[in-house]
């Protein structure tokens, strides 16, 4: 229907069988008919038919006009007779006759070519060839073919393409130019011939073929190279050019991907792709393709930053992702972050296998669930294709004879199969591209791609030192890719930053495996943390010095140098990082012996003297050249400061690695024990300290940081020096609020540390000893062991020790300790010492402020002198004259005796205290002793009364009736009754008990000396007289009593 819109086309469709047939096919499908204007098949068929009509008409017209010249007797016959062999027959013909013969020759040639006659002479093979086995080439063109291209063309027939190049003279070119079936040598025909065969070409031959196919300045289409093995590879051989996505499969199936050809201008990068095709940068093909290769539709893969993600699995073990460093141990084992590389690889492979198994199980489960869900549902009939039309990939066309068909689109694969059964018909339209060929063109290329299986994925494994050396070489090439990559939108540093891919330069002295593990690779984070240095920035001597202490050197490209900020100014940071790691990994020295506790908090962070001196010289040289800044903090962390022992160099930081004394006196005192830690201020070390503005430490900081922690372990000389230094700090040392932390630390050490060394070797705190300046203590104990030794009794040391808790007699604990010491003496002077202590107690008003517990503890000690006069023969209590003060020899606690002034009422029951001691105490002091019997208890008084009356009764003599004795006895009884007067203040039960005991005791002494009981006197007084008067007397009597 659309054809009717164009009358001109419709009128010509009737006489064209090919077009009519195509139109009928198109009409079967409305969808195709609607797009008929763009159908290349219809346009091609129409052109064929019109071309054949024109040829027939022109042939008939030439014969009719010029046939007269060919009659007998004409000029043609005469000249042919002269040239018997006919070699120059055409040249002898006149112009008009030649034209007639030329038309005849065209028809003759067409007939010969149609019959496939072997009439074409092949000079190389020296035989005639059929038209289908020859490619025609004009003589002029053949002369300009290079020898390499000719050699390549000669191999076409040898490779099975059955094509040979036949040189056509210039005069024959117009005759054969329009003959159907004649194949002329051009880029398209040569590409087709090469695609149907695989000749074994040399590199130069492949370069010549590619140069011919692409034309002048290599401006031809790259589609000419598809399916051709013409790419010279590094290491020999040729690679096949393909489409980027692969050639279509047989029957228009899915594309079959072929091997990619890797491209880079640096041939050394081929080591990153072992076993993969790599274009030779020195070949002519590389030179030809280079200007346009980035946009070429070829299977060329550029080795640049974009290819790093696909390249890394073959360069670096995937299991090393996230690892910081790779080392080689002393025994030659590759270690990755402290673990053997083989163990790391096995763990990664196990994890990948487990993940794959989990994914496979999940896929199986999903498939089972899907099949279970569709079970029982009817199957859907396949959708019927309308008119049995089968779509095929679009094909290119070379344009139409008329412009009427330029807008037609669609696929005419079926029509092509019906119209063209032989390959010769299609060869007429070679300009339409290789996709139009149904013969060996597309099919053979797809088969070749299918046969060329893709290269297996290369997985890198590194388990030995040899593998590690190869990996280091690949890492160097990897950084070369990073350096030469300038693609927009890519950041190769991020791609490789997670892998340890930075090679460490080999030391000048070579790898020394006896030292320990050797660092070989590290990632960006580790290199930045270590502040790695560049080899190019240092001289050989400086580099050797830095490598000896463990600094890592790299040979960076420009991108790596920028990323790590590599410069000489980072030397200090690199040294600081390497020593910080070294102090952590290397065990500090362990000290043994009796003085090992002195070095508990000290760390042996040191270098041998020679290494430290060379490092110090390097640092000073860099400082003088202003290559590094005078960063005091970083310089102090380097072991470049000599010690006074002359064996090592130590850092100033941390403070536990050195001892910085405040004066030379302290140097002399500390040198015997701390020579390898004590910083020397002489020589070059002193000059460096002066340059850094580092002076000796202050007394307060030295005592707080170093001495306070060890003063309890120092000898007596250092302890005395410590106390004297503390005294120089003044009263601020003992401020309880607002004192600096250093002073608080020193004060705590003075109070808590056992810094007093006794002659016996025993150590005591200040609070455990008494003040030798206390006169009473000196008087009582003299030079006893409870006092500090003589060397501690200087004015400065005593001032600190008194503030630190040195005890005096005013302290209850020291008084109790003195009493215990006096009892422990067990000497004849024991009673004298105890009496002196008790007399001193009465002279101390501070004693009244002691806690009750102190008096209770003191009262239980047997330090109180008593008189033992409890003999059965004593009828009267002792007098003061009989017991002079200081004459008591027995010592008891206050739980037993009573005061001497109560002897009249207690001398037969308890012991009596020495009146020269306790009786002189103040009442308040006596009351603090709760166990002291003052006054005596009632039961003790009654018992004493009963005992006295019994003794008097048993010792009744004539002398007992004398007035003096009677008065003395009545006085003793009066003392008892005076005590019993307090009975009214007691409870009723106590009164009853006392009355019951007194009833049975004859304690009343009459004037005649007789002892009678109180009831007897009461009865005699009330016998006789008026009873009323007696009652009144009886009632009044107790009131008077």
């Amino acid at each position: 229907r659309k054809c009717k819109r164009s009358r001109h086309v419709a009128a010509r469709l009737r006489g064209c069988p090919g077009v009519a047939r195509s139109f009928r096919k198109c009409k079967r499908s409305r969808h195709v008919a609607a797009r008929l204007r763009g159908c290349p098949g219809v346009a091609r068929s129409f052109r064929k038919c019109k071309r054949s009509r024109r040829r027939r008409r022109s042939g008939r017209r030439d014969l009719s006009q010029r046939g007269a010249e060919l009659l007998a007797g004409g000029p043609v016959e005469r000249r042919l007779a002269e040239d018997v062999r006919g070699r120059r027959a055409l040249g002898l013909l006149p112009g008009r006759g030649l034209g007639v013969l030329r038309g005849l020759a065209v028809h003759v040639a067409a007939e010969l070519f149609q019959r496939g006659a072997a009439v074409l002479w092949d000079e190389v093979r020296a035989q005639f060839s059929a038209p289908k086995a020859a490619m025609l080439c004009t003589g002029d063109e053949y002369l300009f073919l290079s020898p390499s291209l000719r050699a390549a063309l000669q191999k076409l027939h040898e490779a099975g393409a059955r094509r040979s190049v036949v040189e056509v003279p210039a005069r024959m070119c117009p005759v054969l130019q329009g003959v159907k079936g004649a194949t002329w040598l051009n880029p398209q025909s040569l590409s087709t011939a090469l695609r149907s065969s695989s000749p074994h070409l040399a590199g130069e031959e492949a370069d010549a073929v590619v140069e011919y196919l692409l034309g002048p300045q290599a401006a031809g289409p790259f589609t000419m190279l598809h399916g051709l093995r013409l790419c010279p590879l590094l290491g020999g051989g040729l690679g096949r050019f393909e489409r980027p996505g692969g050639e279509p499969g047989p029957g228009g199936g899915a594309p079959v991907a072929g091997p990619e050809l890797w491209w880079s201008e640096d041939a050394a990068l081929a080591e990153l792709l072992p076993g993969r095709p790599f274009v030779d940068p020195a070949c002519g093909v590389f030179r030809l393709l280079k200007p346009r290769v980035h946009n070429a539709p070829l299977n060329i893969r550029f080795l640049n930053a974009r290819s790093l993600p696909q390249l890394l699995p073959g360069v670096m073990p995937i299991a090393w992702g996230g690892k910081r460093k790779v080392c080689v141990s002393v025994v030659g084992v590759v270690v990755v972050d402290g673990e053997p590389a083989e163990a790391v690889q096995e763990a990664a492979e196990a994890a990948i296998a487990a993940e794959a198994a989990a994914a496979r199980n999940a896929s199986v489960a999903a498939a089972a669930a899907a099949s279970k869900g569709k079970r029982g549902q009817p199957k859907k009939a396949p959708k019927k294709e309308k008119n049995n039309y089968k779509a095929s990939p679009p094909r290119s066309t070379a344009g139409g004879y008329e412009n009427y068909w330029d807008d037609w689109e669609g696929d005419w694969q079926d029509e092509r199969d019906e119209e063209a059964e032989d390959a010769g018909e299609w060869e007429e339209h070679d300009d339409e591209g290789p996709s139009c060929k149904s013969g060996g063109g597309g099919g053979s290329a797809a088969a070749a791609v299918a046969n060329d299986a893709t290269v297996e994925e290369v997985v890198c494994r590194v388990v030995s030192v040899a593998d590690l050396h190869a990996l280091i070489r690949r890492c160097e090439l990897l950084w070369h890719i990073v350096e030469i990559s300038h693609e927009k939108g890519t950041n190769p540093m991020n791609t490789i930053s997670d892998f340890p891919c930075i090679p460490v330069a080999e030391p000048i002295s070579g790898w020394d495996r006896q030292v320990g593990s050797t660092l070989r690779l590290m990632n960006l984070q580790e290199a930045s943390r270590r502040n790695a240095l560049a080899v190019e920035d240092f001289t050989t001597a400086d580099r050797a010095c830095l490598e000896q202490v463990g600094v890592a050197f790299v040979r960076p490209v420009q991108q790596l140098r920028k990323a790590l900020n590599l410069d000489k100014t980072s030397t200090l940071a690199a040294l600081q990082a390497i020593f910080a790691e070294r102090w952590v990994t290397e065990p500090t020295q362990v000290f043994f012996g009796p003085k090992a506790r002195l070095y508990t908090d000290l760390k042996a962070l040191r270098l041998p003297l020679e290494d430290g001196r060379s490092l110090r010289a390097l640092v000073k040289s860099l400082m003088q050249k202003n290559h590094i800044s005078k960063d005091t903090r970083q310089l102090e962390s380097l072991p470049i400061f000599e010690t006074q022992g002359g064996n090592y160099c130590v850092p100033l930081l941390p403070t536990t690695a050195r001892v910085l004394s405040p004066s030379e006196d302290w140097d002399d005192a500390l040198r015997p024990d701390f020579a390898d830690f004590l910083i020397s201020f002489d020589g070059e070390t002193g000059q460096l300290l002066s340059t850094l503005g580092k002076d000796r430490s202050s007394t307060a900081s030295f005592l707080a940081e170093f001495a306070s922690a060890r003063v309890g372990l120092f000898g007596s000389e250092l302890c005395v020096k410590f106390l004297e230094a503390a005294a120089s700090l003044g009263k601020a040392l003992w401020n309880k609020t607002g004192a600096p932390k250093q002073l608080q630390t020193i004060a705590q050490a003075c109070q808590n540390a056992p810094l007093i060394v006794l002659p016996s070797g025993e150590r005591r705190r200040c609070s455990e000893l008494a003040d030798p300046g206390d006169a009473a203590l000196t008087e009582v104990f003299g030079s006893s062991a409870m006092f500090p030794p003589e060397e501690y009794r200087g004015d400065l040391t005593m001032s600190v020790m008194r503030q630190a808790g040195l005890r005096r007699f005013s302290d209850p604990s020291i008084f109790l300790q003195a009493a215990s010491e006096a009892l422990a003496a067990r000497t004849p002077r024991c009673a004298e010492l105890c009496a002196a202590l008790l007399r001193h107690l009465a002279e101390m008003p501070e004693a009244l402020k002691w806690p009750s517990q102190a008096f209770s503890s003191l009262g239980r000690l047997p330090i109180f002198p008593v008189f033992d006069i409890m003999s059965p023969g004593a009828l009267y209590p002792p007098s003061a004259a009989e017991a002079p003060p200081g004459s008591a020899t027995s010592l008891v606690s206050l739980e037993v005796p009573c005061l001497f002034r109560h002897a009249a009422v207690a001398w037969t029951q308890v012991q009596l205290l020495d009146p020269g001691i306790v009786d002189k105490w103040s009442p308040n002091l006596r009351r603090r002793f709760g166990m002291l019997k003052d006054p005596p208890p009632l039961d003790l008084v009654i018992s004493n009364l009963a005992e006295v009356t019994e003794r008097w009764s048993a010792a009744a003599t004539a002398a007992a009736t004398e007035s003096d004795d009677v008065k003395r006895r009545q006085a003793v009884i009066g003392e008892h009754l005076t005590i019993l007067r307090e009975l009214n203040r007691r409870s009723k039960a106590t009164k009853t008990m006392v009355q019951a005991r007194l009833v049975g005791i004859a304690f009343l002494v009459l004037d005649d000396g007789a002892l009678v009981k109180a009831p007897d006197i009461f009865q005699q007084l009330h016998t006789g007289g008026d009873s009323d008067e007696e009652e009144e007397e009886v009632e009044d009597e107790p009131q008077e009593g």
Side-chain angles (χ1 to χ4, degrees), residues 646-673:
N647 298 320
Y648 303 101
C649 290
V650 299
L652 298 182
L653 293 176
T655 57
T656 55
R658 51 78 178 168
V659 178
L660 200 61
S661 66
S663 63
E664 295 182 359
D665 294 339
W666 273 105
D667 288 345
D668 298 336
L670 295 173
R671 191 176 295 113
D673 296 328

Side-chain angles (χ1 to χ4, degrees), residues 644 658-670 678-679 681 695-707 714 718 721-722 724-726 728-729 746:
Q644 296 190 13
R658 51 78 178 168
V659 178
L660 200 61
S661 66
S663 63
E664 295 182 359
D665 294 339
W666 273 105
D667 288 345
D668 298 336
L670 295 173
L678 199 59
I679 297 296
F681 281 83
D695 201 355
R696 290 183 179 271
S697 62
S698 63
T699 302
S701 61
F702 170 75
L703 296 180
E705 295 175 3
F706 175 76
F714 285 162
L718 285 176
K721 198 168 188 61
F722 175 84
E724 292 175 351
S728 65
L729 300 177
I746 299 171

